[in-house]
Amino acid sequence: MQYRTLAHTTVSAIGLGAMPLSIEHRPDETQAIATIHAALDAGVTLVDTADSYHWHADEAGHNELLIARALARYGGDTSHVLVATKGGRGRPGDGSWTVTATPTHLKRAAEASAKRLGVDAIGLYQLHKPDPTVPWADSVGALRELLDVGTIRAAGISNVTTAQIRQAHQILGDGLVSVQNQYSPAVRDSEPELRLSEQLGLAFLPWSPLGGISRSSLDGPSGPTSIGTAFHRIAAERGVSPQQIALAWLLARSPAVIPVPGAGRPASITDSARAVDLTLNTQESEELEDVLPG
């Protein structure tokens, strides 16, 4: 495994997006825990979760509790594993997602997440999405308070614009360590946010990093995926999966990038982790710059 900088530590260059283990179409717990253990066996030291990663209305924090159980049952040392969680979104149980980023909610949510994860302080706590009904400075100010009282050790923001990144950086200073936006072979709208993160020394954690290559868990089992792209052709030439090529492409975009591909099976995260061993040549990189067909 290779490593990259996140806050004042290093984490694996490929993380585990644990959302598929708790939402609709999730595997049973035995397979879910085996998937987390496979990630750890592969050298993954960053696990991405959220209090809203659950299916039914009455099981908020399902994914956090699952991760805590998996870490407790793992046979090796897990003290170096960074569990990054998020707050500010909800799931009423009908398949929809809500946004609530009031300071009161965020502070209570962070305290609840810490309890579920079984930690005194959350290693990385991310504001899941800006709430259009709450001033951005107020939501980010709640993260500042959580840092000041020690509920969280570092803060991140997700689904944000460059202006929101700059404002959050002014409020949080060195306490802001990461930005998590959608970014993938098929969705490259957050290039400005990636470059700004790089300039500010923030880690950039693409969510749904395999868009255009694999279906996102948000799409469901019948969601769209692409075939026959340059990613697939180069993968066939290399004798690896298209997912590995996509992740290698992301890693080459910037040293700030730390992809967190989702996985519902041990084989999936084991394959993804191997992407750190791939180096794209100049010709391959140029071919992959072409936007995937819709």
Side-chain angles (χ1 to χ4, degrees):
M1 179 54 68
Q2 297 177 19
Y3 297 87
R4 294 197 164 182
T5 301
L6 200 168
H8 305 296
T9 186
T10 57
V11 296
S12 54
I14 298 289
L16 169 65
M19 182 177 72
L21 303 176
S22 289
I23 66 168
E24 293 87 333
H25 316 294
R26 66 194 181 199
D28 61 34
E29 182 160 319
T30 298
Q31 180 175 319
I33 288 180
T35 300
I36 297 170
H37 287 178
L40 301 177
D41 290 342
V44 171
T45 63
L46 173 63
V47 181
D48 180 76
T49 184
D51 60 2
S52 58
Y53 290 170
H54 60 89
W55 184 352
H56 307 293
D58 61 349
E59 55 177 19
H62 181 281
N63 201 238
E64 294 171 325
L65 291 168
L66 175 70
I67 291 167
R69 288 195 294 273
L71 292 176
R73 297 176 191 176
Y74 188 63
D77 179 21
T78 61
S79 61
H80 58 299
V81 175
L82 175 63
V83 178
T85 192
K86 296 181 286 293
R89 302 207 73 179
R91 301 208 71 199
D94 60 0
S96 66
W97 297 75
T98 60
V99 180
T100 307
T102 63
T104 298
H105 174 83
L106 290 173
K107 287 183 278 189
R108 289 177 178 171
E111 292 166 358
S113 289
K115 184 176 181 180
R116 284 190 291 263
L117 292 170
V119 297
D120 294 329
I122 297 170
L124 172 58
Y125 191 70
Q126 303 161 96
L127 200 165
H128 206 153
K129 188 175 185 178
D131 186 337
T133 69
V134 179
W136 178 238
D138 291 355
S139 295
V140 176
L143 298 183
R144 177 73 267 169
E145 292 184 42
L146 289 167
L147 285 165
D148 291 342
V149 300
T151 305
I152 67 176
R153 293 195 176 96
I157 50 178
S158 182
N159 298 298
V160 289
T161 64
T162 54
Q164 289 167 331
I165 294 172
R166 291 186 185 281
Q167 187 174 9
H169 190 250
Q170 291 176 347
I171 295 170
L172 298 171
D174 291 342
L176 178 66
V177 302
S178 66
V179 171
Q180 188 170 33
N181 277 16
Q182 185 176 19
Y183 190 81
S184 69
V187 181
R188 308 185 189 184
D189 297 345
S190 281
E191 188 75 26
E193 288 74 25
L194 165 57
R195 297 307 159 193
L196 178 57
S197 297
E198 187 179 55
Q199 293 170 20
L200 295 176
L202 309 176
F204 186 86
L205 283 55
W207 64 262
S208 197
L210 299 176
I213 306 299
S214 295
R215 289 188 296 269
S216 167
S217 294
L218 293 171
D219 295 331
S222 60
T225 188
S226 299
I227 59 174
T229 68
F231 288 85
H232 295 80
R233 181 180 55 75
I234 291 171
E237 293 172 354
R238 289 287 200 106
V240 299
S241 69
Q243 290 80 5
Q244 283 190 41
I245 297 297
L247 292 169
W249 174 80
L250 282 165
L251 290 172
R253 301 297 291 170
S254 167
V257 170
I258 306 173
V260 285
R265 299 177 299 121
S268 297
I269 188 58
T270 300
D271 180 74
S272 291
R274 295 193 183 109
V276 300
D277 298 321
L278 288 175
T279 300
L280 301 171
N281 61 41
T282 301
Q283 181 178 344
E284 290 170 336
S285 297
E286 289 176 352
E287 292 180 26
L288 297 177
E289 284 303 304
D290 294 333
V291 177
L292 288 171

